[in-house]
Amino acid sequence: PQIDLKQQPSLKCEECGYDAKKFHPNRPIKQLAGLFDVDHIISDSKHTLEGEQPSNYKLLCKQCHILKSYDSGDFISKNNRK
């Protein structure tokens, strides 16, 4: 998934509120975009028509995305989840 940077003038984590433009005001948005991931809110719906809709996306900083993935078990193969 891609975020339209023209419609997102400041990149801000939707979980912790980290605002990259605030901490790196002289960097172009395109460089700051690499500090973020687009998270699938409902990860089990990835690669489906419903799962690849903007309503299932959330902009997270890398740290929040990693922690969310651990909390939800996204890093575990679906075959090995309990």
Side-chain angles (χ1 to χ4, degrees):
Q2 292 185 349
I3 297 285
D4 183 354
L5 296 176
K6 292 175 185 164
Q7 292 186 358
Q8 184 85 27
S10 68
L11 295 171
K12 195 169 184 179
C13 177
E14 294 182 48
E15 186 66 27
C16 72
Y18 170 69
D19 186 344
K21 196 67 174 162
K22 179 179 176 182
F23 289 96
H24 307 284
N26 298 320
R27 296 247 181 211
I29 293 284
K30 285 186 178 186
Q31 289 179 1
L32 299 177
L35 301 173
F36 294 86
D37 290 327
V38 177
D39 176 57
H40 287 84
I41 296 168
I42 303 171
S43 60
D44 288 338
S45 66
K46 285 183 196 175
H47 310 297
T48 67
L49 184 60
E50 295 83 18
E52 298 303 331
Q53 300 298 316
S55 60
N56 192 42
Y57 298 156
K58 191 173 187 181
L59 188 65
L60 299 179
C61 68
K62 297 276 186 187
Q63 292 86 353
C64 284
H65 194 211
I66 289 168
L67 294 174
K68 188 255 183 184
S69 295
Y70 276 114
D71 290 347
S72 61
D74 289 348
F75 64 97
I76 301 171
S77 168
K78 288 183 182 178
N79 296 335
N80 295 325
R81 290 184 195 171
K82 294 179 180 181

